[in-house]
Amino acid sequence: MRRLPFIAGNWKMNKTVGEALDLVKELKAFLLRVKEVEVAIAPPFTALYAVHKELEGSSIRLAAQNLYWEEKGAFTGEVSPSMLKEVGCHYVIIGHSERRQFFGETDETVNRRIKAALGLGLKVIFCTGETLKEREEGKTFSVVDRQVEGGLRGLGENEVKDIVIAYEPIWAIGTGKTATPEQAEEVHRFIRERLERAYSREIAQGIRIQYGGSVTPENIKALMDQKNIDGALVGGASLKAETFSKIVRFKEM
């Protein structure tokens, strides 16, 4: 099955509104003629609405970096799914390792967030990945299996169709280290086989699985040449228009 490549940029806690708009204007110019690749960017919350307005008429999708599962209430500092829909978000990133590591998110809270996002019509980029210690101890597959099972618990076939899974080995995020294409492919294939066992071959073959972790213009082509790697969730390299655009245009390399 042919799956549409999907490159998403996670800006994390970077860019003021003005800086975000400057970057988006550059991106639109660089990516004007790109076809057959879906592109999304995830600015910080403060820039979402302004970026949404700047993206109007563009094929670039808007994503948020997180959400809370309640619709409203006394949850100081949180943002609901409907708030993200209102400012033009199409995707939301859920379960990123930094959210798990620094803010105490668990497989259970990730699952609640995913269900809330899907319930309001947002598509989800669901992150999984192991630490260096877990990889060295041979626990990569058991960790990823647990995260996928926990994150997707209670979701049916119609719901998982709106999920993109991002495999991000934590030891490769922002470190300059990248899993080899073969290492990444091995885990991507494992995830797809797990989805087939949980749902069906048709569902598993239709779900896109991105790779994340120090993705650059230099390594994107080798990663995308792998059978089960359908795109990339890009961190630091998404903060510069020219660099991110080269990653998006991997087919031209």
Side-chain angles (χ1 to χ4, degrees):
M1 179 182 291
R2 182 177 179 275
R3 294 177 292 268
L4 181 68
F6 181 27
I7 308 292
N10 177 15
W11 295 3
K12 307 189 181 184
M13 198 176 72
N14 293 288
K15 304 297 182 184
T16 63
V17 174
E19 291 168 342
L21 291 175
D22 288 342
L23 178 51
V24 170
K25 289 171 184 175
E26 287 186 79
L27 280 175
K28 289 197 302 182
F30 275 118
L31 301 178
L32 188 61
R33 294 178 178 82
V34 170
K35 297 180 180 179
E36 297 185 341
V37 177
E38 185 175 9
V39 181
I41 53 174
F45 288 129
T46 51
L48 285 174
Y49 183 68
V51 169
H52 162 64
K53 298 301 289 183
E54 183 60 39
L55 287 176
E56 287 182 345
S58 163
S59 62
I60 301 172
R61 304 282 198 180
L62 184 65
Q65 297 178 22
N66 194 28
L67 53 65
Y68 192 60
W69 56 81
E70 295 289 351
E71 217 9 75
K72 59 183 177 180
F75 305 105
T76 300
E78 295 295 340
V79 176
S80 74
S82 61
M83 292 173 181
L84 297 182
K85 285 284 287 187
E86 185 181 41
V87 296
C89 288
H90 189 83
Y91 284 97
V92 57
I93 300 170
I94 296 177
H96 194 280
S97 63
E98 290 157 6
R99 297 298 312 175
R100 297 176 190 259
Q101 179 181 358
F102 301 129
F103 303 101
E105 293 195 15
T106 64
D107 294 335
E108 179 185 357
T109 62
V110 166
N111 179 250
R112 295 180 75 174
R113 285 176 162 84
I114 290 175
K115 288 177 176 176
L118 296 176
L120 263 290
L122 288 163
K123 295 182 183 295
V124 171
I125 299 173
F126 163 40
C127 300
T128 67
E130 83 283 12
T131 64
L132 180 59
K133 183 173 184 290
E134 289 165 338
R135 172 165 281 273
E136 290 175 339
E137 293 176 352
K139 296 179 179 178
T140 294
F141 297 118
S142 62
V143 169
V144 172
D145 183 72
R146 187 204 77 228
Q147 291 173 340
V148 171
E149 194 281 329
L152 302 184
R153 185 175 292 124
L155 297 178
E157 290 190 354
N158 287 334
E159 294 166 303
V160 296
K161 289 178 180 177
D162 286 328
I163 292 177
V164 174
I165 296 177
Y167 168 60
E168 293 196 304
I170 297 169
W171 47 273
I173 298 175
T175 63
K177 298 178 181 178
T178 309
T180 66
E182 293 75 22
Q183 286 175 320
E185 168 64 14
E186 185 180 35
V187 181
H188 281 235
R189 183 174 62 248
F190 171 81
I191 293 172
R192 201 171 304 283
E193 290 171 350
R194 200 214 179 282
L195 292 170
E196 183 173 341
R197 293 195 301 273
Y199 297 99
S200 69
R201 177 172 175 78
E202 181 182 3
I203 292 295
Q205 289 300 315
I207 291 176
R208 292 176 295 179
I209 308 175
Q210 297 173 311
Y211 171 77
S214 298
V215 176
T216 67
E218 290 70 37
N219 60 33
I220 184 62
K221 183 66 165 60
L223 290 164
M224 293 301 295
D225 282 343
Q226 304 302 307
K227 181 178 179 180
N228 289 288
I229 298 179
D230 305 310
L233 182 56
V234 184
S238 70
L239 297 175
K240 293 183 178 179
E242 186 173 4
T243 305
F244 185 62
S245 299
K246 287 179 179 177
I247 293 172
V248 172
R249 304 175 82 110
F250 69 91
K251 291 184 177 182
E252 300 172 16
M253 295 181 183

